Amino acid sequence: MRIVVFDIGGSAVKYGLWQDEALSRKGSFETPKSWNAMKNEMKSVCDGFAATDSIEGVAISSPGAVDSVAGIVGGISAVPYIHHFPIKAEWEGLFGVPVSIENDANCAALAEVWLGAAKDVQHALFIVIGSGIGGAVIVNRQLFKGKNLFGGEIGFMLLDGVNTLSRLGSPVQVAERYAKAMGLPDGVVDGKYLFEKAQEGEPVAVEYVDGMIDALARGLYNLSVSFNPQRIIIGGGVSVREDLIARIRERTAYYLNVHGAESVDTDIQVCTFRNDANLIGAVAHFRQTEGLQES
């Protein structure tokens, strides 16, 4: 089956063609400033694929609180014009083939359940660590989205009565606070810069990275004792840093032990598909929606 896949982000829209059980012909374009411009860009990509292949569907990974059944993107995101109207119906009219749409973090989780780090478990949590903290809950290999589509929005978790997990655990937000503490101009410091300074032993950077790891471990502790999943999968840019992942595992185990929950065996793994997870997960969702994949 040939499916055109899009992953809508705040700065770029990634795309590819799913055929022969693999993702090919990947590319991207800058996220347009308007809905009409977005439709034109997506139609151009789809027409390009259709010129050489028979396209049978379009699968879309989107930010926001996605109601996949109603075909509406609720909530807010960095792409404001995609929200609160029957967007799926417009896409189906535009492309002339079936369209599926799902939240980006949920798509990443579905990719891992289908073919990746959670393919051998029934219950898992997926955590995306980036500019904020997102996630998804997998129960019996299915997304648990919650009454208000808020299932998996773990970044809203309060850690100290004031600060959320997103604020304390996001490398982007921690780096911004570090830059202010050091009197550095905006745009100079990102997560990579902060981690490098910490590795060099710069005391303030070490303090901020230690705090970030501690916040993430407290979040994972809370999730571990609340859901007791078979596996917790970490995605996002931080997932490539095995040194940080090892420290997060160690700190999470510390909290479990010190609070008497040492019998909770939390298996923390990194994601398999990294930058392609949203695209592959959108395909997984399309297949489920169209009845092409076992649940």
Side-chain angles (χ1 to χ4, degrees):
M1 189 169 199
R2 294 179 178 87
I3 304 169
V4 179
V5 198
F6 293 97
D7 175 26
I8 298 173
S11 59
V13 177
K14 296 188 290 186
Y15 60 82
L17 180 66
W18 182 265
Q19 60 179 344
D20 301 324
E21 299 303 306
L23 193 62
S24 63
R25 298 170 64 181
K26 295 185 291 183
S28 67
F29 56 84
E30 185 177 347
T31 302
K33 302 300 183 184
S34 70
W35 173 232
N36 283 334
M38 173 69 86
K39 287 193 292 185
N40 289 338
E41 288 280 7
M42 295 177 78
K43 184 67 161 59
S44 177
V45 169
C46 210
D47 287 349
F49 287 132
T52 56
D53 294 279
S54 177
I55 303 304
E56 298 165 85
V58 173
I60 297 170
S61 163
S62 168
V66 177
D67 187 330
S68 300
V69 176
I72 296 173
V73 181
I76 58 174
S77 77
V79 191
Y81 54 77
I82 65 173
H83 295 268
H84 307 297
F85 69 98
I87 193 169
K88 178 182 174 182
E90 282 210 28
W91 271 322
E92 289 187 327
L94 180 69
F95 299 128
V97 294
V99 172
S100 69
I101 179 173
E102 183 53 274
N103 168 267
D104 45 15
N106 287 345
C107 282
L110 288 174
E112 299 298 329
V113 169
W114 183 23
L115 299 169
K119 65 183 179 181
D120 59 339
V121 299
Q122 293 294 308
H123 315 301
L125 298 176
F126 185 81
I127 299 170
V128 185
I129 302 172
S131 57
I133 307 290
V137 179
I138 301 294
V139 179
N140 293 322
R141 301 186 61 78
Q142 298 291 315
L143 284 171
F144 176 79
K145 300 177 72 169
K147 176 183 176 182
N148 301 113
L149 305 178
F150 238 65
E153 293 290 350
I154 63 174
F156 286 89
M157 183 192 307
L158 280 174
L159 293 185
D160 60 9
V162 176
N163 292 295
T164 65
L165 180 57
S166 279
R167 175 170 169 75
L168 298 182
S170 159
V172 174
Q173 296 189 43
V174 173
E176 289 174 352
R177 291 198 298 279
Y178 168 78
K180 289 181 180 179
M182 298 298 289
L184 299 172
D186 293 342
V188 172
V189 177
D190 57 11
K192 181 179 178 182
Y193 179 99
L194 174 63
F195 296 146
E196 287 175 352
K197 286 297 182 182
Q199 286 180 329
E200 292 170 5
E202 196 280 300
V204 180
V206 169
E207 176 187 347
Y208 274 75
V209 170
D210 286 351
M212 184 197 74
I213 290 170
D214 187 70
L216 290 169
R218 280 183 280 150
L220 293 182
Y221 163 83
N222 289 335
L223 293 168
S224 296
V225 297
S226 297
F227 291 93
N228 195 196
Q230 290 171 276
R231 191 163 296 155
I232 296 178
I233 301 161
I234 296 178
V238 75
S239 65
V240 303
R241 304 190 65 92
E242 282 294 338
D243 55 331
L244 291 181
I245 299 299
R247 292 181 63 190
I248 292 169
R249 288 191 186 107
E250 181 180 1
R251 191 66 176 168
T252 302
Y254 163 80
Y255 278 121
L256 289 168
N257 289 333
V258 79
H259 292 292
E262 63 274 3
S263 60
V264 177
D265 181 18
T266 301
D267 180 18
I268 301 171
Q269 302 292 336
V270 297
C271 63
T272 298
F273 294 113
R274 304 192 190 280
N275 289 333
D276 288 338
N278 293 2
L279 293 169
I280 294 172
V283 174
H285 180 254
F286 182 94
R287 289 165 63 95
Q288 290 179 349
T289 300
E290 297 299 311
L292 300 173
Q293 177 177 314
E294 292 184 1
S295 61

